């Protein structure tokens, strides 16, 4: 009976008859629209039948696929799409299950047209916002299948492109459907991201070389454009906790396909990432890149350089302050890479301890990496506020190795040459960090803990190190961008053409120069004195003198700078110093150019007249003492400077006279400048023990009416040094034993004994304080302060202030 009913059309369920009626006899005629409207109305009127309609459509579609009746397959999918768009009732979940089952059936087919058809239907479904949640739906298959389509290798390039684009759209649909649905499996899990992200990057990379397209193709969206849009949408939806899972597959893809070395694609990927994620998450990407750089410490220089270049671009894009809370860790990682690169370059191996299986290291590649790291340090520093940049400057300064003082980042296996290279690299990093540094308070921006170690490097014999120190000082002192106007030393007859920006010296600047001025003058003096100083050194020292005159000069500083310039002239004339003729001529030229500048800044006519007269005589009789003739390629030098005297020299007596008439300190001007040697000299290998005498400041020695008699220095012999070392060892052992006993006592002694001990110490302290108060408090001017001694003499009794009796009118 039931079999007979199944064969009779009139006895079939109504939903089946309505479904059958939407299929025409000829599939080329397409969907029967009138009957489709009836089916839609029935589904809306009887929503409980929707799941059965879906199941029956799914059954028909599976049968048509198996029989290769693809026309009916398209009609069935079109009907499903229309029902899906029309119905939003609570029972749609069961219908969706049938729909996804049919989409899955199409995607499993080996026919490209069916795969694309299934994908298009899924994309339409992904754009529908469902009213009811689904607790059991899974998209794992779709993630895997769409990712596979993204890597399609179909023979026909046009069809291959269509399949890949369908896969990208499918992944985009999965992300849209699941990213905001808390009930769905988390699309940000590594198992899904490891499929989605590499698939997108593969298509992004595949279209890099394809640039020439016909006008008709340009109107359509290319796979690369679609991929980039999908990638940006994915990253834009990433929350704080999902950034790592989204970026890790990118790093792995670039590693697996050796894409760091080319740099271009890696930089492009991370530009997309940095511009797509929320700005407050930028530091998370930077931290991941730093961690990846550390993980690739022993990779080739090109790989590390590629990662550093990406870091450089990422830092430039990141908003100010987005480096994150671990600012110093960023710089610590980069400085560590600098040290490793220097080690690799000098040892020629990524693993100095092993003699087998080491890679050949190219010096050129390591140098490029080092330059990239230094640029990146500067790029990071430019995103920081002033106070953080000052911290970074101190941090880097603390890492610079000083032989015998603090090895810091000193190379462990490359010896003195490695230490020198690291010094140079870190000083270059400081040059980048200080570039464009602006501060109103020099005392806080340049504390002694930074300035003193920096100036100590001016004593080294290495000319490159000294030049870098001058560059750093110039960047820090130049707050009005005057430095480019003094790019070369020359005699300028009218400095108004330079349009210099000069502000009045602030109180903080005065304090800074009072504290550090003598150190800066000494640095300039000793820098000129160095035999290894060349043209660049003298040009930059002139810049430093000029900037000091405009940025930090009060009347006292101007006097000191003039004394310094005259002392440089005396240095060039000195027969005790064994300097080459070029250096002597260069010092004369530098002093002349600076005095020409400072006389115009002071605007004292008589001073300017004397300077200009000397310069005119030099132009006629000794042009080799002027910067225009000495700071050129192949200058013409005299055999010696023995005949340099008379009118070609600046006279200290004359300058003192003319400036004294304008109110400047004559006594100070008449005192020749002598550099003060300090403890910094111990950092220089060229200084002898005799030079390490710390001279008193000039002001103290000149102003004190009586000079104390100096005790003769103790003679230092081998025995005294030996005894000092033995005594210090014994003292250290005694100190350690004392500390051990104290700790043991506090750990094991009863509480009462510890309390009594502390109380006794407090009582002892109080008694000592009372004695000090008794000694220091003066007797009061009251008549009650006299008592008789046993010998008939009166003795003043000291009454503490807090016990004195004051009249009422004196108390308020």
């Amino acid at each position: 009976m039931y079999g007979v009913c199944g064969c009779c059309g009139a006895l079939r369920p109504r939903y089946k008859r309505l479904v059958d009626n939407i299929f025409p006899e000829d599939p080329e005629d397409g969907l029967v629209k009138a009957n489709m409207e009836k089916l839609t109305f029935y589904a809306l009127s009887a929503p409980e039948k929707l799941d059965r309609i879906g199941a029956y459509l799914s059954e028909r579609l599976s049968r048509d696929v198996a029989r290769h009746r693809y026309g009916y397959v398209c009609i069935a999918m079109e009907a499903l799409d229309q029902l899906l768009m029309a119905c939003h009732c609570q029972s749609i979940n069961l219908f969706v299950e049938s729909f996804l089952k049919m989409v899955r059936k199409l995607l499993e087919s080996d026919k490209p047209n069916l795969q694309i058809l299934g994908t298009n239907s899924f994309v339409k479904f992904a754009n529908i916002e469902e009213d009811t949640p689904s607790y059991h739906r899974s998209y794992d298959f779709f993630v895997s299948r769409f990712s596979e389509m993204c890597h399609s290798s179909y023979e026909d390039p046009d069809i291959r492109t269509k399949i890949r684009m369908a896969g990208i759209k499918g992944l985009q649909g999965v992300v849209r459907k699941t990213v905001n649905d808390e009930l769905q499996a988390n699309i940000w899990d590594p198992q899904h991201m490891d499929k989605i992200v590499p698939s997108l990057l593969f298509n992004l990379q595949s279209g890099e070389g394809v640039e020439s397209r016909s006008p008709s193709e340009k109107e359509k969206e290319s796979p690369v454009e679609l991929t980039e849009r999908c990638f940006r949408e994915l990253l834009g939806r990433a929350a704080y906790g999902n950034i790592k899972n989204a970026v890790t597959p990118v790093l792995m893809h670039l590693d697996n396909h050796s894409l760091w070395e080319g740099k271009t694609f890696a930089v492009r990927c991370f530009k997309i990432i940095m511009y797509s994620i929320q700005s407050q998450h930028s530091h998370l990407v930077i931290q991941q890149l730093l961690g990846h750089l550390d993980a690739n410490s022993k990779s080739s220089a090109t790989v590390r350089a590629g990662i550093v270049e990406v870091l450089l671009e990422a830092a430039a894009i990141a908003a100010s302050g987005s480096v994150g809370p671990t600012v110093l860790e960023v710089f610590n990682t980069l400085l560590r890479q600098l040290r490793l690169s220097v080690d690799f370059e000098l040892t020629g191996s990524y693993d100095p301890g092993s003699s087998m299986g080491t890679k050949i290291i190219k010096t050129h590649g390591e140098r490029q990496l080092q330059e990239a790291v230094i640029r990146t340090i500067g790029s990071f520093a430019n995103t920081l506020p002033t106070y953080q940049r000052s911290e970074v400057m101190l941090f880097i300064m603390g890492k610079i190795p000083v032989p015998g003082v603090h090895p810091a980042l000193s190379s462990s296996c490359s010896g003195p040459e490695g230490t020198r290279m690291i010094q140079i690299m870190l000083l270059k990093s400081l040059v980048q960090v200080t570039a464009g540094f602006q501060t109103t308070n020099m005392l806080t921006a340049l504390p002694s803990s930074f300035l003193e170690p920096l100036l100590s490097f001016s004593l080294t014999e290495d000319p490159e190190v000294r030049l870098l120190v001058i560059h750093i000082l110039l960047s820090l002192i130049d707050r009005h961008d005057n430095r480019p106007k003094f790019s070369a030393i020359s005699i300028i007859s009218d400095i108004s053409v330079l349009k210099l920006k000069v502000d009045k010296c602030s109180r903080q600047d005065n304090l800074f120069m009072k504290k550090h001025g003598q150190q800066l003058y000494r640095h300039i003096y000793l820098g000129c004195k160095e035999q290894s100083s060349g043209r660049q050194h003298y040009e930059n020292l002139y810049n430093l003198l000029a900037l000091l005159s405009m940025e930090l000069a009060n009347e006292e500083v101007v006097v000191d700078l003039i004394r310094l310039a005259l002392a440089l002239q005396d240095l060039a004339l000195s027969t005790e110093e064994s300097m080459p003729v070029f250096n002597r001529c260069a010092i004369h030229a530098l002093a002349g150019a600076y005095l020409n500048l400072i006389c115009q800044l002071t605007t004292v006519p008589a001073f300017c007249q004397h300077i200009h007269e000397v310069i005119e005589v030099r132009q006629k009789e000794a042009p080799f003492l002027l910067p225009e003739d000495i700071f050129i390629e192949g200058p013409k030098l005299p055999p010696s400077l023995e005949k340099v005297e008379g009118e070609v020299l600046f006279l200290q007596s004359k300058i003192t006279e003319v400036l004294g008439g304008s109110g400047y300190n004559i006594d100070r001007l008449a005192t020749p400048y002598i550099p003060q040697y300090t403890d910094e000299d111990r950092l220089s290998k060229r200084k002898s023990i005799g030079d390490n005498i710390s001279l008193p400041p000039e002001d103290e020695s000149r102003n004190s009416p009586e000079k104390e008699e100096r005790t003769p220095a103790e003679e230092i012999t081998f025995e005294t040094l030996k005894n000092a070392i033995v005594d210090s060892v014994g003292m250290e052992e005694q100190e350690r034993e004392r500390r051990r006993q104290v700790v043991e006592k506090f750990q094991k002694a009863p509480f009462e004994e510890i309390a009594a001990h502390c109380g006794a110490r407090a009582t002892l302290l109080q008694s000592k304080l009372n004695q000090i108060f008794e000694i220091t408090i003066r007797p009061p001017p009251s008549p009650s302060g006299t008592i008789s001694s046993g010998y008939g003499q009166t003795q003043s009794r000291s009454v503490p202030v807090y016990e004195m009796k004051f009249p009422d009118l004196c108390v308020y």
Side-chain angles (χ1 to χ4, degrees):
M1 180 66 184
Y2 290 104
V4 173
C5 290
C7 296
C8 299
L11 300 177
R12 288 164 60 81
R14 186 182 178 191
Y15 73 88
K16 286 190 176 182
R17 282 183 280 137
L18 290 172
V19 169
D20 290 338
N21 290 340
I22 67 173
F23 291 93
E25 293 184 2
D26 186 359
E28 293 184 1
D29 294 341
L31 185 69
V32 181
K33 293 184 179 180
N35 293 336
M36 186 63 217
E37 291 175 0
K38 293 179 183 178
L39 177 61
T40 304
F41 179 77
Y42 178 74
L44 291 171
S45 303
E48 69 278 2
K49 300 289 185 181
L50 193 58
D51 58 325
R52 298 185 183 183
I53 295 172
Y56 183 58
L57 272 170
S58 176
E59 179 187 336
R60 283 204 57 153
L61 184 137
S62 300
R63 187 166 64 243
D64 291 336
V65 169
R67 295 175 179 175
H68 305 290
R69 298 165 65 180
Y70 301 126
Y72 288 119
V73 171
C74 295
I75 293 173
M77 289 308 300
E78 186 179 350
L80 281 167
D81 292 343
Q82 290 192 22
L83 287 173
L84 203 59
M85 298 293 288
C87 304
H88 292 279
C89 57
Q90 292 183 353
S91 55
I92 195 174
N93 275 333
L94 295 176
F95 175 74
V96 169
E97 292 304 317
S98 300
F99 169 78
L100 292 178
K101 183 180 177 182
M102 287 183 277
V103 172
R104 180 171 182 166
K105 187 76 175 177
L106 295 179
L107 294 176
E108 288 175 342
S109 170
D110 57 353
K111 301 292 183 182
N113 291 339
L114 295 185
Q115 295 174 16
I116 295 170
L117 178 65
T119 303
N120 292 337
S121 294
F122 182 84
V123 171
K124 292 176 184 176
F125 160 69
N127 292 326
I128 296 174
E129 293 185 7
E130 298 181 55
D131 297 335
T132 54
S134 173
Y135 296 91
H136 56 280
R137 196 179 301 161
S138 173
Y139 294 98
D140 292 1
F141 165 80
F142 296 100
V143 172
S144 301
R145 183 57 185 151
F146 289 138
S147 299
E148 187 181 340
M149 290 170 66
C150 288
H151 291 84
S152 173
S153 56
Y154 200 83
E155 295 177 358
D156 189 333
D158 292 336
I159 297 177
R160 181 171 65 237
T161 301
K162 290 180 181 178
I163 295 175
R164 289 183 179 181
M165 289 186 72
I168 297 167
K169 290 177 181 177
L171 289 176
Q172 189 177 27
V174 173
V175 171
R176 286 179 179 174
K177 200 65 182 174
T178 59
V179 74
N180 294 323
D181 193 346
E182 296 179 358
L183 298 173
Q184 298 299 332
N186 192 356
I187 198 68
W188 301 106
D189 285 344
Q191 58 178 350
H192 299 310
M193 284 290 109
D194 289 347
K195 296 175 183 176
I196 294 174
V197 174
S199 301
L200 296 176
L201 295 180
F202 172 77
N203 283 277
L204 200 61
Q205 182 190 359
S206 300
E208 266 200 324
V210 184
E211 295 183 358
S212 58
R213 292 191 293 162
S214 62
S216 59
E217 289 177 337
K218 287 182 180 179
E219 295 177 0
K220 302 177 183 177
E221 193 173 32
S222 69
V224 178
E225 294 168 345
L226 176 62
T227 304
E228 185 173 332
R229 185 161 56 82
C230 180
F231 194 31
R232 289 182 184 277
E233 183 178 340
L234 173 69
L235 295 165
R237 295 172 180 268
Y240 181 88
N242 303 325
I243 295 292
K244 183 178 180 181
N245 289 345
V247 175
T248 301
V250 179
L251 299 173
M252 298 304 296
H253 181 83
L254 297 173
D255 283 344
N256 295 335
H257 296 274
S258 303
L259 296 173
W260 292 112
E261 298 178 6
K263 301 178 187 177
T264 308
F265 181 71
V267 168
R268 182 186 177 194
C269 286
F270 276 90
K271 277 187 174 181
I272 293 174
I273 292 172
M274 297 302 291
Y275 282 122
S276 301
I277 62 173
Q278 300 174 42
S279 59
Q280 65 268 28
H281 301 158
S282 298
H283 68 276
L284 295 175
V285 179
I286 291 172
Q287 286 177 356
Q288 274 194 269
L289 280 167
L290 290 168
H292 198 66
L293 181 60
D294 273 343
N296 284 272
S297 291
K298 293 188 177 180
S299 299
S300 66
T302 51
V303 171
R304 285 176 285 137
I307 301 174
V308 171
E309 286 286 348
V310 171
L311 266 170
L312 177 64
E313 295 292 337
I317 295 170
S320 178
S322 69
V323 178
T326 56
V327 174
L328 294 182
E329 187 58 34
V330 171
F331 291 93
N332 195 31
T333 301
L334 293 171
L335 295 178
R336 186 165 57 246
Q337 291 300 320
L338 263 184
R339 185 203 59 186
L340 289 173
S341 179
V342 170
D343 281 347
F344 294 156
E345 180 182 346
L346 294 176
T347 59
S349 170
Y350 290 121
D351 190 3
S354 65
S355 58
M356 297 178 63
T358 57
K359 300 177 183 177
I360 301 297
I361 293 182
K362 296 180 179 178
T363 304
H364 178 65
E366 292 296 338
R367 288 289 170 87
Q368 284 186 328
L369 168 65
Q370 292 158 14
E371 293 299 325
V373 171
I374 291 170
R375 287 198 309 273
T376 304
I377 288 174
S379 180
F380 271 111
N382 288 334
T383 66
L384 299 177
T386 302
Y387 73 94
Q388 277 190 325
R389 205 190 287 202
S390 297
E391 290 179 5
V392 171
M393 287 157 50
L394 278 171
F395 180 74
I396 296 176
M397 180 57 70
K399 294 288 185 181
I400 301 179
V402 180
V405 182
H406 56 94
L409 270 177
S410 180
S411 178
S412 58
C413 55
S414 49
E417 180 61 22
T419 301
R420 175 189 170 276
M421 286 187 64
I422 290 175
Q423 285 179 344
I424 290 173
M425 293 300 164
L426 295 183
L427 287 171
K428 285 183 177 179
S429 302
L430 272 178
V431 171
Q432 291 287 332
V433 173
T434 54
F437 183 75
Q438 295 287 339
T439 180
T440 54
N441 192 339
M442 295 291 286
L443 272 174
T444 55
L446 294 176
S448 300
S449 55
F450 174 80
L451 195 60
E452 290 177 3
L454 178 66
L455 292 177
S456 70
F457 286 106
S458 66
L459 304 174
T460 59
E461 295 177 344
D462 193 325
E464 187 174 0
V465 170
R466 297 201 309 273
L467 190 61
L468 289 170
V469 171
I470 303 171
H471 281 307
I472 293 167
L473 287 172
L474 290 173
S475 297
L476 295 171
I477 295 174
D478 183 20
R479 294 175 293 180
H480 295 91
D481 296 324
N482 287 320
R483 181 182 174 186
K485 299 166 186 175
F486 298 101
S487 56
I489 307 181
S490 61
I491 302 295
I492 304 169
S493 57
D494 183 7
I495 62 170
S496 61
V497 299
L498 297 178
K499 297 181 180 178
L500 300 174
K501 299 177 183 176
V502 183
D503 283 347
K504 187 177 179 181
C505 196
S506 65
R507 179 174 175 273
Q508 290 87 356
D509 292 342
N510 290 335
L511 291 173
F512 175 81
M513 289 305 292
K514 190 166 287 187
K515 185 175 182 180
H516 300 294
Q518 293 298 325
Q519 291 175 291
L520 292 170
Y521 306 151
R522 179 169 164 274
H523 162 77
I524 295 170
Y525 184 89
L526 295 178
C528 291
K529 187 178 178 181
E530 277 296 332
Q531 294 187 19
S532 57
S533 293
R535 175 180 171 182
Q536 283 188 317
H537 292 83
Y538 291 113
E539 288 178 345
N540 283 282
L541 287 169
Y542 171 74
N543 280 347
L544 185 55
L545 282 167
L547 291 176
L548 285 174
S549 305
M550 287 178 292
E551 297 284 351
L552 302 168
N554 53 23
E555 185 175 313
E556 185 178 341
V557 172
V558 168
V559 169
D560 284 340
L561 289 171
I562 293 172
R563 291 171 57 221
L564 174 59
L566 293 171
L568 290 175
Q569 178 179 262
D570 294 340
L571 172 65
L573 294 171
S574 173
T575 55
E576 297 176 1
E577 301 291 342
S578 58
M579 285 191 296
V581 175
F582 171 79
N583 292 52
R584 292 180 185 273
C585 293
I587 294 173
H588 275 296
L590 184 150
Y594 176 68
L595 288 172
N596 173 68
L597 173 68
I598 196 70
C599 76
Q600 295 184 63
L601 289 174
T602 55
T603 62
V604 178
F607 183 27
C608 294
Q609 182 180 354
H610 172 65
I611 300 300
H612 291 156
E613 286 174 355
V614 174
I615 291 173
E616 288 175 4
V617 174
R618 286 188 178 187
Q619 288 172 346
K620 296 176 182 177
E621 300 179 8
F624 51 84
L625 300 182
L626 295 174
E628 287 82 0
D629 282 56
I630 197 69
F631 297 116
I632 57 174
E633 293 294 333
K636 297 179 180 179
L637 301 175
S640 68
L641 295 182
E642 295 177 358
K643 297 181 180 180
V644 174
E645 57 186 1
E647 296 181 349
V648 296
L649 297 179
F650 302 101
L651 301 179
Q652 184 159 6
S653 58
K654 179 70 174 176
I655 293 175
T656 303
E657 179 186 345
V658 296
L659 287 179
S662 299
Y664 287 88
N665 189 333
I666 299 178
D667 294 336
R668 195 175 183 85
L669 276 167
T671 306
Y673 172 79
I674 302 173
Q676 302 170 11
Y677 292 100
T678 66
D679 292 338
E680 294 173 1
D681 292 337
R682 64 193 169 86
L683 303 179
S684 174
K685 296 180 181 178
R686 69 177 184 280
K687 298 294 179 188
S688 63
I689 295 176
D691 288 334
N692 285 335
I693 301 170
S694 181
L695 297 179
E698 297 171 28
D699 294 341
E700 293 180 10
S701 62
R702 186 173 62 253
N703 297 331
S704 58
E706 297 178 0
K707 296 183 180 179
E708 295 182 3
E709 185 178 353
R710 296 185 182 177
T711 58
E714 182 184 355
E715 184 181 358
I716 298 175
T717 63
F718 174 74
E719 288 298 325
T720 57
L721 291 174
K722 180 180 177 182
N723 293 336
I725 294 171
V726 172
D727 291 345
S728 64
V729 172
M731 291 290 289
E732 288 178 3
E733 291 179 356
Q734 291 177 11
E735 181 68 17
R736 280 199 295 269
E737 179 64 22
R738 189 186 67 79
R739 289 186 179 184
R740 188 190 64 78
Q741 291 175 358
V742 171
V743 172
E744 185 177 355
K745 179 178 180 180
F746 275 87
Q747 287 178 341
K748 297 181 179 180
F751 175 76
E752 291 79 7
E753 182 180 341
I754 296 173
H757 175 70
C758 294
R761 290 183 63 184
T763 305
L764 178 62
L765 175 63
Q766 187 61 44
S767 66
K768 295 291 183 184
L769 289 173
N770 289 336
Q771 292 179 19
I772 294 170
F773 291 149
E774 287 293 330
I775 294 171
T776 55
I777 295 176
R778 296 179 180 178
S782 65
S784 63
T786 57
I787 58 174
S788 298
S789 65
Y791 299 100
Q793 297 175 346
T794 59
Q795 183 178 359
S796 295
R797 183 184 61 170
S798 177
V799 179
V801 174
Y802 51 83
E803 293 182 2
M804 290 173 60
K805 303 296 183 181
F806 292 97
D808 293 339
L809 293 176
C810 296
V811 181
Y812 61 92

